[in-house]
Amino acid sequence: MTSNSIFKCIECKQDYSIKEIRYRCECGNLLEVQHDLKKSIPDPNKWKKSIDENLKTSAFHRYHSILFPSLPIEKIISLNEGDTPLYNVSNAFPNFGSLRLKHEGMNPTLSFKDRGMVAGVSWANHLGCNIVICASTGDTSAAMAAYAGLAPNMKGIVLLPDGKISPEQLAQPIASGAKTIGIKTDFDGCMNLVQKLTEKHDIYLLNSMNSVRIEGQKAIGIETLHQLGWNVPDWFIIPIGNAGNISALGKGLRELYKIGVINKLPKLAGIQTIGASPMYDSFKNNFSNLVPQKAKPTKASAIQIGNPVSYKKAVNEIKYFNGVVEAVNEVELMDWKAKIDRMGISICPNSAVAVSGCMKLQKNGIIKSNDDVVVILTAHGTKFSNTSVEYHQNISNKYANKTAIIEPDISQLEKAIL
Ligand code: F0G
């Protein structure tokens, strides 16, 4: 069964066996997993019918034949990730044909990383790897630690930029039993170290530069289209950090198109913050090259990344889907976070980057007034409670909702409320 999939270099197209533990081609570029989808999905209509009949299984099981057909079902380590809500907020946003928010923060560890980790940890389980590792801005580590915790015989190690992740994100891998190491550097520094370590030691790397992870993350776009009855929107909008997720979104949609499940392609928009914008700067330069930068601190701390590992993959997808990259500032993103939060949809600052970018693209006329748009929300607001509390306690912020502190006295209470 494993012969159904191979690794292929995204640049020189060299093939490697899927059974190898390998993250890069000999030429240094990243690999992409390729499946024989004609074999696993010979008839797209039958496939669509079969997945409609399979709604009770987890999303990874349901879409297994397009996500990772060569992964044996009995090796899957799943926390029932997926089946996240797709909120239709069109009524509140009449400037769009329609606007929907795909809330990946409603996954078991409260971010989209569970989608990739079910593939990554299951594959590690299949290969018999007992030690897994990642560098992280907080969400990959939470997901990897949880899935490694569930696996029968697996130890997780996480490398975090010390002091640069939220308390909730730090609590997650500690509680799941992973060895948690804070490193006095930024994410790019942690990423550099983890690559060096896994070159020397027999430890399985589970960052998204491991192309196996990308296969699981394809489910976000595939599940969204399934929820839309395979009606393709005009745009998907997504935040970009290390650039794995936009690569996965593109790959999944490309494969659906290739096997004939959809017959229209959406456009992709990737959004960054102004202080951490290597993809945006490169886009402005016609993607001529990537200039790694020292990413500046941002409220969207999960995407404070200056040297995105999946840059080339992301560029390929953005070009294929005729996409764009936009950047937003801190005030814009925090005000949009507050606006979406108060609709009852709790989002993280990184998700707010995508929402804010979406509004900017609409204002600038890139997104048209009758376009159907899906924004991917990548993590839950509860993972970043300090950021929310700080915003709302500062009354100079546009949508601040400051807590009133009073003595236990009825007249003071009446004064505070009425
Ligand atoms: N949103 C959230 C909440 C994230 O945690 C990340 C990445 C992204 C967006 C960007 O996705 O890197 O695939 O472009 N977090 C990684 C981590 C880097 O370590 O948790 P990307």
Side-chain angles (χ1 to χ4, degrees), residues 110-113 134-142 159-160 169 187 207-208 213-214 217 238-247 272 301-305 308 310 348-351 376-380 383-384:
L110 307 183
S111 89
F112 75 94
K113 301 291 181 179
C134 68
S136 182
T137 53
D139 291 324
T140 300
S141 41
L159 309 188
L160 303 169
Q169 288 174 316
F187 170 80
N207 277 97
S208 58
R213 277 259 322 270
I214 300 290
Q217 277 171 222
I238 190 166
I240 300 183
N242 214 15
N245 210 19
I246 192 165
S247 307
Q272 302 205 291
S301 55
I303 55 172
Q304 188 192 330
I305 295 175
S310 294
C348 74
N350 318 285
S351 310
I376 310 289
L377 308 174
T378 47
H380 201 278
K383 280 195 160 208
F384 295 83

Side-chain angles (χ1 to χ4, degrees), residues 1-19 22 30-40 64-71 123 210-216 218 251-252 254-255 258-259 313 316-317:
M1 194 54 179
T2 48
S3 58
N4 207 17
S5 311
I6 54 164
F7 289 122
K8 195 178 256 313
C9 174
I10 58 165
E11 202 71 25
C12 76
K13 310 295 173 196
Q14 172 74 41
D15 289 351
Y16 297 93
S17 162
I18 193 77
K19 290 177 203 154
R22 176 174 274 285
L30 290 187
L31 303 167
E32 189 171 85
V33 178
Q34 289 194 348
H35 312 293
D36 184 356
L37 291 177
K38 287 229 163 68
K39 193 169 155 193
S40 58
H64 175 261
S65 50
I66 187 166
L67 297 178
F68 212 149
S70 44
L71 173 67
W123 193 249
N210 181 339
S211 50
V212 163
R213 277 259 322 270
I214 300 290
E215 294 311 291
K218 292 188 309 193
K251 185 171 191 275
R254 241 192 315 124
E255 289 175 350
K258 200 172 149 198
I259 61 175
K313 280 189 179 177
N316 289 346
E317 299 301 346

Side-chain angles (χ1 to χ4, degrees), residues 112-129:
F112 75 94
K113 301 291 181 179
D114 297 343
R115 302 278 199 166
M117 225 35 97
V118 58
V121 168
S122 300
W123 193 249
N125 184 39
H126 174 51
L127 296 176
C129 301

Side-chain angles (χ1 to χ4, degrees), residues 66-112:
I66 187 166
L67 297 178
F68 212 149
S70 44
L71 173 67
I73 301 277
E74 68 277 9
K75 297 291 180 181
I76 296 175
I77 306 291
S78 170
L79 284 166
N80 288 350
E81 57 294 312
D83 286 318
T84 57
L86 180 65
Y87 296 116
N88 186 345
V89 293
S90 307
N91 285 345
F93 295 94
N95 293 341
F96 294 85
S98 67
L99 182 63
R100 288 181 169 83
L101 307 178
K102 176 69 170 161
H103 202 339
E104 287 296 302
M106 304 292 267
N107 271 301
T109 75
L110 307 183
S111 89
F112 75 94

Side-chain angles (χ1 to χ4, degrees), residues 291-310:
V291 182
Q293 55 182 239
K294 183 99 192 136
K296 296 211 179 71
T298 161
K299 300 280 183 215
S301 55
I303 55 172
Q304 188 192 330
I305 295 175
N307 189 13
V309 167
S310 294

